[in-house]
Amino acid sequence: MDAQGRGRVEDIDPADQWVLNPETGEYELRLAPSAPQSRVPGQRGAAGTGRASRRRGAPASASTSAPAPEREVPPPRRRRTAPEEPPPGRRGRRRPAKKSKGKKILLWTGGTMALVVLAAGTAGYLYLQHLNDNIESLPDDGAGTGGFQKDQAINILLIGTDKRTGSGNEGYGDNGSAGHADTTILLHVSKDRSNATALSIPRDLIVDIPDCPTTQEDGSTKVIPGSTGVRFNQSLGQSGRTPSCTMRTVTELTGVRPDNFMVADFNAVKTLTSAVGGVEVCLAKDINDPDSHLNLPAGKHTIEGEDALAFVRTRHSVGFGGDLSRIEIQQQFLSSLMRKLKSNDTLTSPSKMVKLAEAGTKALTVDSTLDDIGKLKDLGLELGKLNTKNLSFVTVPVRDNPAEKVKATVVLQEEPARQVFDMIKEDVSFTEVKKKESEKEKKEKAAVAARLEGEKSDPSEVRVRVLNGGAPDGSAQRELLYLQNEAGVTKSENAGDADAEVARTTLEYAPDQADQARALAEILGLSGAAMKPGESVTNAQGLPTMTLTLGKDFKGPGVKLDAASAEAPEEARKSTADKVECAK
């Protein structure tokens, strides 16, 4: 473009159309009235064209032509390149409001391996590529759901192996270990992100390991035969099993299918704790354990590196000296680590965040659907919505194996274990989560509660058909026998299987059957939420009848349904991440 061409209206920099009004002290928008007069504002016709010519190599004198005599040229104005307060309507000049560092940096994670995602959001593209290169992944072989979803509950399987890799680990136990599932936690995050449960699975729990289709190094698939009545930790490492087999074993055990897995070895504990500057732990007594190398006096300590690894590995000097005691000390350690991660001391320290990103990505082995730092960041954002007081640490309820004289393994306590698994499957919190309710939510809640209020029919007048919608086989018939023989609901019948499975038992009824519905709800222990006003159906005799659909929460004939899933059993050994507890 030549010097004169810069005088066209369409070539004027929009920023130069704002000039300072000396009378008001504010900037005003002044549009050029026509192309020949476009040198105002800013004098871009004279001085401006000279700058353009010099950039093209023309002599400075070529741009100093005098204005026409009949025109009065206003004196040059000093141009402010960055006004302190941009005028209204001026685009591209207002500085964006700063976000808090706690929002820029990912806030919090759910387990040892999820910690890495905290730093990813602040790094540049090249650094993110570097972090991606750090991450190792393995196929999930179809054992997972295909990856977590932002609008659904999240289930992440966290696995700590006993594999002795890296320098400094030669002195720990079996140097030739293939890397078994030494520490396993199923992290469940609720759909609304208000609470989470970290379920510890004992390594010595006797389980059945299913057949495991496993991807080999050459890309082929090999089915590794399952095993019956073996330790849970053999679901990884033994016979070439990979983390996908541990996922299948967890699904077989709990009924919960994990979305993703994350695996780490001994180095992860050392490097991650050093990255955050150590975590605080508490001992109720002096401990000197030659097996784990932990040697600390009673009281509070900030530990990292080798001391941190020794702490999570100790078991002979705490509790009853077994794996269950070690689980408790590991849960205390993770609680403390999470509190440290959520503290301002970590979130506001760029150096710690970078160290954490480096250490975490190098320590991670993830499934192939989670092998990108962006995906890990997204997971961290979801986990960051949690409050530590609503993160429950729970241990699968177990008891000593009655088949052993020398107690070395454990077996499930069937009823409380099933209750724990059901609470996770049904997305029930192990803590009381207080939520601020809107007026609409309050009215809806009151309307649901009102379904239980009013007159109740005599049980002999209740007419209902029973469907099996996900309960164990034969449940509909067993419930029918209970209703007829013990509850006095003689006008009941077995209608077989429902069209689809449901998580919770429901009772559907017509408005004119509300008194019958209230009577049956009292007998079964149904909540107002389980009562579904709708339509009745016609039974074999042509009479209107209600429909009771037994869901996966059905515990057996005569067991109160709502009460059975209201709270966690005592056998679950529950604790929360916001509390400081001393290992005994």
Side-chain angles (χ1 to χ4, degrees):
M1 181 187 302
D2 59 21
Q4 291 180 349
R6 291 184 58 85
R8 293 197 306 255
V9 173
E10 61 268 27
D11 293 323
I12 295 176
D13 184 344
D16 291 332
Q17 294 177 298
W18 291 91
V19 296
L20 181 67
N21 186 331
E23 297 181 1
T24 64
E26 296 184 355
Y27 283 84
E28 298 177 354
L29 177 64
R30 295 187 182 178
L31 299 175
S34 64
Q37 298 176 356
S38 62
R39 294 179 180 180
V40 180
Q43 292 294 329
R44 289 190 60 94
T49 54
R51 285 194 295 271
S53 298
R54 284 194 293 272
R55 284 197 294 270
R56 289 182 170 272
S61 60
S63 62
T64 57
S65 58
E70 66 274 17
R71 294 189 59 199
E72 180 179 354
V73 180
R77 296 184 177 90
R78 294 181 61 187
R79 178 181 169 197
R80 293 184 65 93
T81 57
E84 295 180 1
E85 292 295 333
R90 185 173 181 180
R91 303 186 61 179
R93 292 291 178 177
R94 184 176 295 277
R95 296 167 62 184
K98 288 187 176 181
K99 296 181 180 180
S100 67
K101 290 185 178 179
K103 291 183 179 179
K104 285 184 178 179
I105 303 171
L106 305 183
L107 296 180
W108 183 80
T109 61
T112 303
M113 288 305 89
L115 309 179
V116 60
V117 298
L118 291 168
T122 59
Y125 174 77
L126 293 179
Y127 186 63
L128 292 180
Q129 287 297 107
H130 164 71
L131 294 180
N132 275 334
D133 293 339
N134 286 346
I135 302 172
E136 294 186 7
S137 65
L138 290 171
D140 73 352
D141 298 314
T145 63
F148 77 94
Q149 301 294 322
K150 293 183 179 181
D151 58 349
Q152 299 295 325
I154 298 174
N155 294 292
I156 307 294
L157 189 62
L158 309 172
I159 307 172
T161 76
D162 57 358
K163 192 172 185 178
R164 277 73 170 168
T165 58
S167 60
N169 294 325
E170 298 82 2
Y172 294 106
D174 180 11
N175 291 328
S177 173
H180 297 98
D182 201 47
T183 299
T184 305
I185 295 176
L186 177 62
L187 174 66
H188 171 82
V189 185
S190 67
K191 182 176 180 179
D192 64 3
R193 308 295 185 256
S194 67
N195 65 91
T197 303
L199 178 67
S200 292
I201 302 174
R203 69 171 192 180
D204 296 325
L205 174 63
I206 296 299
V207 298
D208 293 336
I209 299 175
D211 293 344
C212 297
T214 306
T215 302
Q216 305 300 296
E217 291 186 3
D218 62 2
S220 63
T221 299
K222 175 184 177 182
V223 177
I224 300 176
S227 301
T228 302
V230 296
R231 280 182 167 90
F232 175 85
N233 68 344
Q234 294 183 25
S235 64
L236 177 64
Q238 197 83 4
S239 305
R241 294 181 177 117
T242 65
S244 67
C245 193
T246 307
M247 292 181 89
R248 295 185 192 277
T249 306
V250 168
T251 302
E252 185 90 0
L253 173 69
T254 66
V256 178
R257 188 179 182 187
D259 299 306
N260 301 96
F261 68 72
M262 297 181 176
V263 186
D265 58 20
F266 283 175
N267 284 322
V269 176
K270 295 192 290 185
T271 57
L272 288 170
T273 52
S274 296
V276 296
V279 298
E280 186 179 71
V281 297
C282 182
L283 297 174
K285 61 181 179 181
D286 298 345
I287 290 183
N288 185 0
D289 185 353
D291 292 325
S292 70
H293 308 297
L294 181 65
N295 187 359
L296 291 174
K300 294 182 178 180
H301 305 274
T302 298
I303 60 174
E304 62 179 277
E306 295 288 345
D307 286 339
L309 178 59
F311 184 85
V312 298
R313 292 191 69 250
T314 192
R315 56 173 174 155
H316 298 302
S317 300
V318 293
F320 295 102
D323 187 51
L324 295 179
S325 298
R326 183 172 63 171
I327 285 176
E328 292 182 4
I329 206 170
Q330 288 173 346
Q331 291 176 345
Q332 182 210 138
F333 173 82
L334 287 174
S335 296
S336 180
L337 181 56
M338 292 171 194
R339 291 193 298 272
K340 182 63 176 288
L341 282 167
K342 198 167 185 181
S343 70
N344 288 332
D345 181 49
T346 299
L347 293 176
T348 59
S349 172
S351 62
K352 286 184 179 179
M353 301 305 293
V354 171
K355 288 179 181 178
L356 186 59
E358 288 286 345
T361 50
K362 289 178 180 178
L364 275 174
T365 299
V366 300
D367 69 89
S368 54
T369 67
L370 198 61
D371 61 354
D372 178 81
I373 197 67
K375 296 176 183 177
L376 289 171
K377 181 199 71 172
D378 290 341
L379 175 60
L381 287 171
E382 295 303 309
L383 300 176
K385 300 172 183 178
L386 294 167
N387 188 317
T388 53
K389 70 179 181 180
N390 292 324
L391 168 62
S392 301
F393 284 96
V394 180
T395 304
V396 173
V398 296
R399 59 189 176 93
D400 288 333
N401 189 346
E404 297 176 337
K405 291 183 179 180
V406 178
K407 304 304 180 185
T409 62
V410 293
V411 296
L412 284 182
Q413 293 190 56
E414 292 291 344
E415 187 57 36
R418 186 174 65 174
Q419 188 172 339
V420 168
F421 301 154
D422 285 346
M423 290 180 69
I424 293 176
K425 284 189 291 184
E426 297 163 17
D427 205 19
V428 177
S429 176
F430 283 72
T431 60
E432 182 180 356
V433 181
K434 294 182 179 180
K435 301 178 183 179
K436 186 177 181 180
E437 296 179 333
S438 65
E439 288 301 319
K440 180 180 178 181
E441 289 173 330
K442 290 179 180 178
K443 291 180 180 179
E444 291 176 349
K445 188 175 181 179
V448 168
R451 295 172 188 170
L452 297 172
E453 299 174 1
E455 296 184 0
K456 301 180 183 66
S457 299
D458 187 271
S460 63
E461 298 300 321
V462 173
R463 186 178 289 107
V464 63
R465 63 176 190 149
V466 183
L467 295 174
N468 190 334
D473 291 343
S475 294
Q477 183 61 29
R478 290 194 295 272
E479 182 73 349
L480 177 67
L481 293 175
Y482 164 76
L483 290 174
Q484 291 181 341
N485 299 330
E486 299 183 42
V489 184
T490 56
K491 296 178 181 178
S492 52
E493 61 186 59
N494 184 351
D497 293 334
D499 293 335
E501 292 188 352
V502 294
R504 291 185 172 275
T505 297
T506 60
L507 175 63
E508 185 174 1
Y509 59 97
D512 60 354
Q513 295 172 316
D515 53 349
Q516 295 183 43
R518 287 189 286 267
L520 189 59
E522 184 177 52
I523 293 171
L524 301 178
L526 293 177
S527 65
M531 300 174 65
K532 305 296 182 183
E535 298 179 356
S536 63
V537 296
T538 303
N539 64 10
Q541 290 75 40
L543 299 173
T545 182
M546 301 184 295
T547 300
L548 175 67
T549 304
L550 304 180
K552 295 178 180 179
D553 61 338
F554 179 73
K555 307 302 179 183
V559 179
K560 298 290 186 180
L561 286 162
D562 194 51
S565 59
E567 58 185 25
E570 294 182 2
E571 295 88 345
R573 304 186 183 192
K574 182 173 71 72
S575 64
T576 52
D578 62 321
K579 296 179 180 178
V580 180
E581 298 182 3
C582 295
K584 300 179 181 179

